[in-house]
Amino acid sequence: MSTQDLVPSPVGPVDVEQAEAALVERYPRLVRIAYLVLPPTMGRNRRVLTAHALVQRALPRRRVPGPAVPEPRRPEDAVDPGYAYVRGEVLRQALVAGLPLRRLAVPRRAQLPPLLPQVWGLRLFPRAGGADELALDQLLSRLSGPARAAYVLRGLERQGDAEVLRVLAAAGAPDPESALAELAALEDEEPDLPAPAPAPAAPAAPAPRGGERPERVAEQAGPGRAPAAPASSAVPGPPPAPAAPSAGPRLSGASLLESAEFDPCTLQARPGDLLRRRQHGRAALVGVVALLVCGALLGLPGDGWGRNGAAAPSYARNPAAEAALDPAKVKRVAAAVWPGAVRRDFSVWPARGELAGDAPLLRRALAVWARPGGAVESSATPGTPVGPPMGPPQLLFAGRVDAARVVLFHDGLRIVRYAEPVEGSAGAALDFARTDGAEGPEAAAVVVTRAAGNVRYLTAPWVTGTSVRDLLMPGKEPWTLGRDARGVTDAVPSPALAKECARWNTLQVADGSGGRLLGDLGELLPARLLWGPPGRPVDATGREARESWSRTACRLTTVLGQGVRSVRSWRFARQTLPEGAGRAAWVCTRAETWRGTGTRVLAQFLPPDRKAPAALAARAQDAPACGVREPRVLAGALWQAPGGGWYVLAAGGPDVASVEVKGGVAARAEGPVLAAKAAAGARAELTATLKDGRRMPALR
């Protein structure tokens, strides 16, 4: 609370010098008053500092006006007007400091921790007293702020109730009469608690009537002492009962208020919580470092790419890491290397692109790779590590494609794609794809950009031609896909970005050994599409493969973005349907991943109508069925004939000797296929017996 908005002093005007003299002369007493009025729940250390702060803030900034004609003095009035004013201001601020903080209210100055004085590293508190002081402190904790102020004015300042009411009203207490009533009620409930000694009574004060409480609270006799004589204004009554014996005399309320227990100027010092101080020091140090780093980042220019582009700040200096991020040490393979190489993989791809010599671009790409910032859009196929390079990577491509600058790196395990917009400095992207063991067709193409539903590929140097084949149109010949001198193809609509399965474009590449079919599954490397039994697959470019893939291609949406290396489809059985419905086929589709785990197996039923899509009969995750380790498969489905009848159909691979169904339908058939009449919605369990006598469950 400011000292500029005070009500006029009830005893006359007060000069600043007069108030200062009173404050300095009676500073210990004023601090004691503030300490006693403040709520004990604040803690002794904070009460001490707050009490000193309130007294030091009680000095007015200019002369305080008063009434033209001062009121008549009473015997209990303060002699010095300066002291009366300072004491009233101390009481005013102490009452405000004891008010609880409201959630939505703005705290007042006295409710906040004091700015001065401050003591760092120590906790200050008055000297400890005895049992009487403890009882008085507990009494004060049970009183409200105005009641504590009334208790202090009566006991420490020797004021009568009328003067207490006037001082409390001048100090801003909301209801001084309630404060005295609260004090009187507590004294009646706890008669053994210390009470303040009587103040000098005003002359000609009328004696109280019978049954009324006297104006002053007389000094109580402690244990072992004779009761004090009643004051002249006390109501006569029966003699008090004899007190119980005690070890020593009991002090009066006034004596307790003046004891060392409540003296905030005679203090003891002890250290605070040393472990918590250390933790707070560390937290403050980390916060300062974070602020410095944020300030440095905010101070960077925002109208262009910095030295490291969208990379996060570097916090460590490591020679090996710095060498890996040096654009001058990036590996570049010459164009004449791959024709004589033993293997055809990414390690023999030459560095291509018109920006292959742009050192600032390569530096930004390497820095973002090592430390992608929060604004970088990063992605990685499952199972692909996203850490920085272990050494200088190999540069595959650096050039401008569409509206972006694109850089492709290879570090032996991964393909890393960095892209930044040509205009502006926002929207950098970083993509990771695992490529360990990629060779031949698996290293024939890499996705360069995706934009507006289209995709562009960078093809291997040994690719002699590129074309596009729609899997959903097996009878249509592929159309030629153009490439520029850098090996980047024209844009082609990608099925991975389409909302509906209206067409499924694949990339067909030609090299010296034939044609390869690659499908875009939303990753940097397109997946190789194969056809045939496990152990003997071929590229899905033949007529039979295209016809089967045309009915199962839309199921590839279930493996988008799963790190798929290749997808192989295999017709493992043919079956003649009941009621002369024709001849159907069973196809097993297996998607292998680069990481080895996460394989998906689909068993699909192809009805006789060649225009009808395949029906999903069973699926499994991480199952060996239909693979090299376990080439066998068994699947079943509930099928309705054109005539309306329902049948359980089942089929297994060539090694199946018999098929048996139990549960809602019971039947057995010799050979790899079974057809048993069933009811609509029937559920059954399939098992098969292999030619070597082993049992095999159905794919789940």
Side-chain angles (χ1 to χ4, degrees), residues 27 173 275 340 388 508 639 690:
Y27 183 83
L275 292 179
Q508 184 167 322
W639 172 78
L690 302 178

mmCIF file of all heavy atoms in Angstrom, residues 27 173 275 340 388 508 639 690:
data_model
loop_
_atom_site.group_PDB
_atom_site.id
_atom_site.type_symbol
_atom_site.label_atom_id
_atom_site.label_comp_id
_atom_site.label_asym_id
_atom_site.label_seq_id
_atom_site.Cartn_x
_atom_site.Cartn_y
_atom_site.Cartn_z
ATOM 1 N N TYR A 27 12.136 2.010 16.410
ATOM 2 C CA TYR A 27 12.160 0.974 15.364
ATOM 3 C C TYR A 27 11.968 -0.426 15.940
ATOM 4 O O TYR A 27 11.162 -1.218 15.425
ATOM 5 C CB TYR A 27 13.460 1.065 14.574
ATOM 6 C CG TYR A 27 13.562 0.094 13.425
ATOM 7 C CD1 TYR A 27 12.999 0.379 12.192
ATOM 8 C CD2 TYR A 27 14.215 -1.124 13.564
ATOM 9 C CE1 TYR A 27 13.079 -0.506 11.143
ATOM 10 C CE2 TYR A 27 14.312 -2.024 12.523
ATOM 11 C CZ TYR A 27 13.739 -1.713 11.304
ATOM 12 O OH TYR A 27 13.829 -2.598 10.262
ATOM 13 N N ALA A 173 -9.101 -1.538 9.545
ATOM 14 C CA ALA A 173 -9.733 -2.802 9.923
ATOM 15 C C ALA A 173 -11.200 -2.756 9.532
ATOM 16 O O ALA A 173 -11.885 -1.760 9.785
ATOM 17 C CB ALA A 173 -9.575 -3.053 11.421
ATOM 18 N N LEU A 275 20.550 -28.828 0.098
ATOM 19 C CA LEU A 275 20.346 -29.642 -1.103
ATOM 20 C C LEU A 275 19.405 -28.953 -2.076
ATOM 21 O O LEU A 275 19.644 -28.929 -3.286
ATOM 22 C CB LEU A 275 19.797 -31.012 -0.708
ATOM 23 C CG LEU A 275 20.760 -31.927 0.063
ATOM 24 C CD1 LEU A 275 20.074 -33.244 0.407
ATOM 25 C CD2 LEU A 275 22.015 -32.199 -0.757
ATOM 26 N N GLY A 340 32.362 -51.122 -64.771
ATOM 27 C CA GLY A 340 33.308 -52.176 -64.426
ATOM 28 C C GLY A 340 33.161 -52.702 -63.024
ATOM 29 O O GLY A 340 33.994 -53.514 -62.585
ATOM 30 N N PRO A 388 22.978 -39.110 -37.077
ATOM 31 C CA PRO A 388 23.882 -38.489 -38.052
ATOM 32 C C PRO A 388 24.758 -39.531 -38.724
ATOM 33 O O PRO A 388 24.860 -40.683 -38.279
ATOM 34 C CB PRO A 388 24.706 -37.530 -37.183
ATOM 35 C CG PRO A 388 24.666 -38.136 -35.823
ATOM 36 C CD PRO A 388 23.322 -38.771 -35.685
ATOM 37 N N GLN A 508 8.202 -49.263 -64.542
ATOM 38 C CA GLN A 508 8.854 -50.400 -65.189
ATOM 39 C C GLN A 508 10.163 -49.919 -65.797
ATOM 40 O O GLN A 508 10.170 -49.016 -66.635
ATOM 41 C CB GLN A 508 7.952 -51.012 -66.263
ATOM 42 C CG GLN A 508 8.528 -52.269 -66.908
ATOM 43 C CD GLN A 508 7.496 -53.021 -67.729
ATOM 44 O OE1 GLN A 508 6.338 -53.107 -67.336
ATOM 45 N NE2 GLN A 508 7.915 -53.558 -68.870
ATOM 46 N N TRP A 639 -18.470 -68.936 -48.766
ATOM 47 C CA TRP A 639 -18.806 -68.461 -50.124
ATOM 48 C C TRP A 639 -20.253 -68.818 -50.433
ATOM 49 O O TRP A 639 -20.756 -69.878 -50.041
ATOM 50 C CB TRP A 639 -17.852 -69.129 -51.118
ATOM 51 C CG TRP A 639 -18.186 -68.879 -52.568
ATOM 52 C CD1 TRP A 639 -17.934 -67.763 -53.283
ATOM 53 C CD2 TRP A 639 -18.808 -69.799 -53.468
ATOM 54 N NE1 TRP A 639 -18.351 -67.903 -54.579
ATOM 55 C CE2 TRP A 639 -18.897 -69.154 -54.733
ATOM 56 C CE3 TRP A 639 -19.296 -71.100 -53.344
ATOM 57 C CZ2 TRP A 639 -19.454 -69.770 -55.848
ATOM 58 C CZ3 TRP A 639 -19.860 -71.720 -54.454
ATOM 59 C CH2 TRP A 639 -19.934 -71.041 -55.695
ATOM 60 N N LEU A 690 -0.237 -82.521 -44.050
ATOM 61 C CA LEU A 690 0.733 -82.485 -45.139
ATOM 62 C C LEU A 690 1.082 -83.894 -45.600
ATOM 63 O O LEU A 690 0.766 -84.897 -44.934
ATOM 64 C CB LEU A 690 1.982 -81.736 -44.678
ATOM 65 C CG LEU A 690 1.760 -80.302 -44.189
ATOM 66 C CD1 LEU A 690 3.070 -79.692 -43.714
ATOM 67 C CD2 LEU A 690 1.141 -79.456 -45.284
#
